[in-house]
Amino acid sequence: MTDALELDALWEDFHRVVNMTSQELAAWLRVSDADETTEPLPEHAGTPTGQHVLAILQKRRTDLTEDDIQVMYEVVDEVTAQTDVENEPEAEETRRRHRLMTVGHDPLKP
C-alpha cells in the first residue's frame, strides 16, 4: 500500500490535474458517448477509466482502493504528458482536449 505522505501527494496531484467537477465529468461522459440515435445509460457512459475517475471524485481519501490509487497515478501521468504539447493543428488540439476531458481534465478551464 502507498504510504501516507505519498498518498497525500498523489491526492493533491490528482485533484490538481482533474479540474472538472464530478457533475461536469459525468455530463461530458454522457455527451461523448452519445450518437445521433442512442445515448448510453449514465452509469455506462464513457470509458472505463473515465468512469473510474468519476467514482474517485465521489470518494473520500480514506476510502480509496489500490485500484483507485493505480488509476490516479495513470491519470496524473497521462494529463501531465498531454498538457506539455504545444502548437498543434486545431483539429488535433480538439481531439486531444476531448481525450483529456474523458479523464476529467479540461485544458481550456482555468
Side-chain angles (χ1 to χ4, degrees):
M1 179 99 193
T2 307
D3 70 25
L5 289 176
E6 190 175 343
L7 184 58
D8 287 347
L10 176 61
W11 182 262
E12 293 298 320
D13 287 345
F14 178 80
H15 283 87
R16 177 181 46 79
V17 300
V18 176
N19 63 357
M20 295 170 71
T21 66
S22 58
Q23 294 85 1
E24 290 169 332
L25 178 55
W28 171 251
L29 293 175
R30 285 191 305 274
V31 167
S32 68
D33 250 12
D35 62 24
E36 291 180 16
T37 58
T38 62
E39 183 175 330
L41 294 171
E43 63 272 8
H44 298 293
T47 64
T49 302
Q51 284 294 321
H52 204 143
V53 169
L54 184 58
I56 292 168
L57 288 175
Q58 298 167 344
K59 289 185 175 187
R60 297 177 306 194
R61 185 182 345 203
T62 56
D63 296 331
L64 295 174
T65 66
E66 285 295 322
D67 286 342
D68 295 337
I69 291 168
Q70 183 60 39
V71 167
M72 290 169 71
Y73 276 118
E74 291 170 8
V75 168
V76 169
D77 289 346
E78 179 181 348
V79 170
T80 302
Q82 289 291 318
T83 54
D84 290 338
V85 178
E86 293 181 20
N87 300 325
E88 293 180 331
E90 190 172 324
E92 181 55 34
E93 189 172 313
T94 299
R95 283 191 289 274
R96 183 177 61 84
R97 177 180 182 230
H98 290 174
R99 276 193 311 272
L100 288 169
M101 288 175 69
T102 64
V103 295
H105 179 79
D106 185 350
L108 299 182
K109 192 172 180 181

